[in-house]
Amino acid sequence: MSDHCEAPVVPVQAYEPPYYVAVFTTVRTLEQSGYSETNARMESLVKDVPGYLGMDQAQTPGGLGITVSYFRDADALTEWRTNAEHRAAQERGRGEWYQSYTLHVAKVERSHGLTHAEDPQGPTAG
């Protein structure tokens, strides 16, 4: 997961189904040498996959990391899964960075969302 604070905190938009999600949940080890750099590289690399739609990430105070990646179709997801650089990062993750992980892949059949317009006055104005 990235520690980039500059980006606004908004979820990935709801897309017109069907599309695919990969939900990757992790508990990391204490050994994290090289993790941040590799994670940043993976975040950059996945954006080049045709059909990549976006990513949501969260970390619980207890250490559970959750990354949800969105892909237009199964081919896009397969391209990411089989990318050589991504596969090398997966191997390193299994060997060094993850105490445990799960991966769930699903086809999205329904999707909707809500975004309120920002109030230029803000909650403390007035």
Side-chain angles (χ1 to χ4, degrees):
M1 283 192 7
S2 175
D3 294 326
H4 302 140
C5 297
E6 312 86 48
V9 178
V10 294
V12 169
Q13 72 180 45
Y15 288 95
E16 184 66 32
Y19 57 94
Y20 288 80
V21 295
V23 181
F24 184 55
T25 57
T26 64
V27 175
R28 295 193 304 202
T29 63
L30 294 177
E31 174 50 51
Q32 293 297 293
S33 176
Y35 179 85
S36 293
E37 298 82 4
T38 301
N39 186 59
R41 173 66 182 147
M42 294 303 104
E43 285 182 19
S44 175
L45 189 62
V46 72
K47 291 175 184 175
D48 292 336
V49 173
Y52 169 76
L53 300 174
M55 180 186 309
D56 289 321
Q57 298 179 319
Q59 182 84 32
T60 69
L64 179 68
I66 304 165
T67 301
V68 183
S69 300
Y70 302 85
F71 296 88
R72 173 52 50 209
D73 52 39
D75 290 341
L77 185 58
T78 298
E79 183 171 331
W80 177 237
R81 181 178 53 85
T82 59
N83 175 282
E85 200 171 338
H86 182 218
R87 292 190 62 80
Q90 291 171 334
E91 287 298 319
R92 190 164 179 200
R94 284 191 281 271
E96 296 177 42
W97 298 321
Y98 301 126
Q99 179 180 327
S100 63
Y101 73 85
T102 58
L103 174 66
H104 306 277
V105 175
K107 184 176 183 179
V108 175
E109 297 179 1
R110 274 191 318 247
S111 183
H112 66 275
L114 169 72
T115 301
H116 286 286
E118 294 230 6
D119 181 357
Q121 301 285 324
T124 59

